[in-house]
Amino acid sequence: MKSTLVRQDSDKLADVVVRGMQEKKAADIVVLNLKELKNAVADYFIICSASSDTQIEAIARSVEEEVEKLTGQNPWQTEGRMNREWVLLDYVDVVVHVFLRDRRQFYALEELWGDAEITHVAEEETPAAVK
């Protein structure tokens, strides 16, 4: 079981990630809270859509910059930058997915983690990803 301190850190990190996505007009931002699920690989999956490969990169960079600026963290691992259809930023407790719309529908991560608490972030909403 993770400590309360770790949970609070992942909650704050999730909010910062959402803010970074919003900076570059990410669409359909969804926060999957996986903390209560047995065998979950992270506390949160945060997913958004982009309309182009250029926007995918802009969103990913914005998230990295916001997280580094506010928490000092860099992703433990990144994937997908070469394919430019889906970028994954792995912050261990928070995993960020930035998809082209059709790729997001194909992978359907929201359905794979259907037991998670799911929060849809409104386009104009300020980050309150975690309740």
Side-chain angles (χ1 to χ4, degrees), residues 88-118:
L88 177 139
L89 304 173
D90 186 348
Y91 288 96
V92 182
D93 289 331
V94 177
V95 180
V96 179
H97 302 269
V98 184
F99 282 102
L100 282 177
R101 289 181 197 280
D102 64 331
R103 295 287 87 196
R104 181 173 177 175
Q105 291 170 348
F106 177 79
Y107 287 104
L109 291 181
E110 291 99 325
E111 293 173 25
L112 286 175
W113 294 98
D115 293 344
E117 177 187 326
I118 298 174

Side-chain angles (χ1 to χ4, degrees), residues 6 12 15 28 37-39 45 47 50 55 58 68 72 74 78 80 83-84 90-91 100 105 111 121 124:
V6 171
K12 290 175 188 173
D15 282 342
D28 306 319
L37 301 184
K38 188 175 181 177
N39 300 323
F45 272 11
I47 306 167
Q55 188 184 24
E68 204 276 323
N74 290 309
T78 64
N83 292 339
R84 300 180 67 119
D90 186 348
Y91 288 96
L100 282 177
Q105 291 170 348
E111 293 173 25
V121 179
E124 69 283 351

